[in-house]
Amino acid sequence: MQKAVALKYDFSTAPTVVAKGNGLLAEKIMAVAKENNVLLHQSPELVELLSTLELGEEIPESLYLAVAEVIAFAHKIRDHQW
């Protein structure tokens, strides 16, 4: 079953879970992300860990490095698109 977790990062606090879901809800989350040019990163292991968090919860320190790498990758891709 498809899973999705959306994070919000404003550079002032740790990334926060703003949406998560399975199946049709996961597909909707990904569709909204695509419509808004938000990078979709596929990592089943990371999604599994992030999906255990509650909505509005900041990611734990143990996931900082993994999420930071995804954010850095997203910025690198964006920089090359222009």
Side-chain angles (χ1 to χ4, degrees), residues 2-18:
Q2 184 73 39
K3 283 189 176 185
V5 177
L7 299 176
K8 177 182 178 185
Y9 181 54
D10 61 10
F11 298 93
S12 64
T13 61
T16 303
V17 176
V18 293

Side-chain angles (χ1 to χ4, degrees), residues 4-79:
V5 177
L7 299 176
K8 177 182 178 185
Y9 181 54
D10 61 10
F11 298 93
S12 64
T13 61
T16 303
V17 176
V18 293
K20 66 179 188 171
N22 300 316
L24 292 176
L25 183 54
E27 291 175 21
K28 180 64 176 173
I29 291 167
M30 291 185 291
V32 170
K34 286 179 187 176
E35 290 168 9
N36 290 281
N37 293 323
V38 174
L39 175 74
L40 295 175
H41 177 76
Q42 295 185 10
S43 172
E45 298 85 4
L46 184 55
V47 169
E48 198 62 43
L49 291 169
L50 292 171
S51 67
T52 65
L53 302 175
E54 297 297 322
L55 292 177
E57 187 175 353
E58 290 183 354
I59 65 166
E61 281 190 47
S62 60
L63 295 179
Y64 280 7
L65 182 58
V67 172
E69 288 176 355
V70 173
I71 291 170
F73 180 71
H75 284 284
K76 186 174 184 177
I77 286 176
R78 259 202 197 128
D79 290 345

